[in-house]
Amino acid sequence: PGSDGYSETQLDTVRQRLSAAIEWFAQRDMLNQVVISDGDSAAAVYASFADNRPKAIQALVLISATNPGTADDGGKTRFTGIDIPLLDVVAEHDRRDIAEAAKQREAWAREAELDYRQVAIASAYAGYRSTTDSLVTRIRAWLARRAAGSEWDL
């Protein structure tokens, strides 16, 4: 793996999955797309977006994301290169590494003046057991304001 912890193979896998999903939605005239991703895959998504964000993606939601790298090895540059609205969700009682990564992203976003919002889901622990409704409600409310479109039950 590179210094950010992701091999090119892993990032290529993320890019391929995103590309397939974007194409599938586009074939169904669903063009206002948002990526919602959690944990390590969320960090891999934003690392891949820094290189080449698919134009169909209008917003990004990270849930309990780790960081792909540090400010010193390009992690900050990748994160601050995101040019779409970004919601960063953490559990109030998330893992320490997740909480620290979220604080770091919040500082980077503030410095870069990104279209960024971070929310902590009250009383939630890692995995969001018994707080799933709160998680979904917060994400839907943010999406209604920042990436309004039609919701589809798939």
Side-chain angles (χ1 to χ4, degrees):
S3 60
D4 59 10
Y6 298 98
S7 69
E8 277 305 308
T9 302
Q10 289 169 309
L11 290 177
D12 284 344
T13 299
V14 168
R15 289 181 189 112
Q16 288 170 2
R17 288 179 180 170
L18 281 171
S19 179
I22 289 166
E23 183 178 329
W24 188 88
F25 286 116
Q27 290 171 355
R28 287 150 183 84
D29 292 326
M30 297 180 218
L31 305 176
N32 185 22
Q33 299 176 25
V34 174
V35 171
I36 301 174
S37 189
D38 72 327
D40 290 337
S41 63
V45 165
Y46 87 66
S48 71
F49 276 16
D51 297 332
N52 185 23
R53 177 182 58 82
K55 299 300 179 214
I57 304 301
Q58 301 300 307
L60 176 60
V61 178
L62 306 175
I63 302 172
S64 293
T66 58
N67 280 348
T70 65
D72 295 338
D73 67 12
K76 178 181 178 181
T77 301
R78 282 188 293 282
F79 182 75
T80 58
I82 298 172
D83 61 351
I84 55 177
L86 176 66
L87 177 64
D88 193 352
V89 181
V90 294
E92 182 179 16
H93 305 287
D94 222 321
R95 296 184 343 228
R96 182 183 313 233
D97 62 322
I98 298 295
E100 290 172 2
K103 285 180 188 175
Q104 188 172 51
R105 286 191 303 274
E106 187 173 40
W108 292 345
R110 187 174 36 254
E111 182 182 316
E113 299 179 359
L114 298 181
D115 185 350
Y116 174 88
R117 173 133 173 98
Q118 187 176 98
V119 297
I121 303 299
S123 302
Y125 287 84
Y128 298 89
R129 286 181 194 82
S130 74
T131 56
T132 304
D133 290 343
S134 296
L135 175 67
V136 171
T137 299
R138 292 297 292 268
I139 292 171
R140 279 188 161 161
W142 182 83
L143 289 172
R145 289 188 309 275
R146 303 304 303 148
S150 299
E151 243 185 81
W152 294 73
D153 292 323
L154 302 174

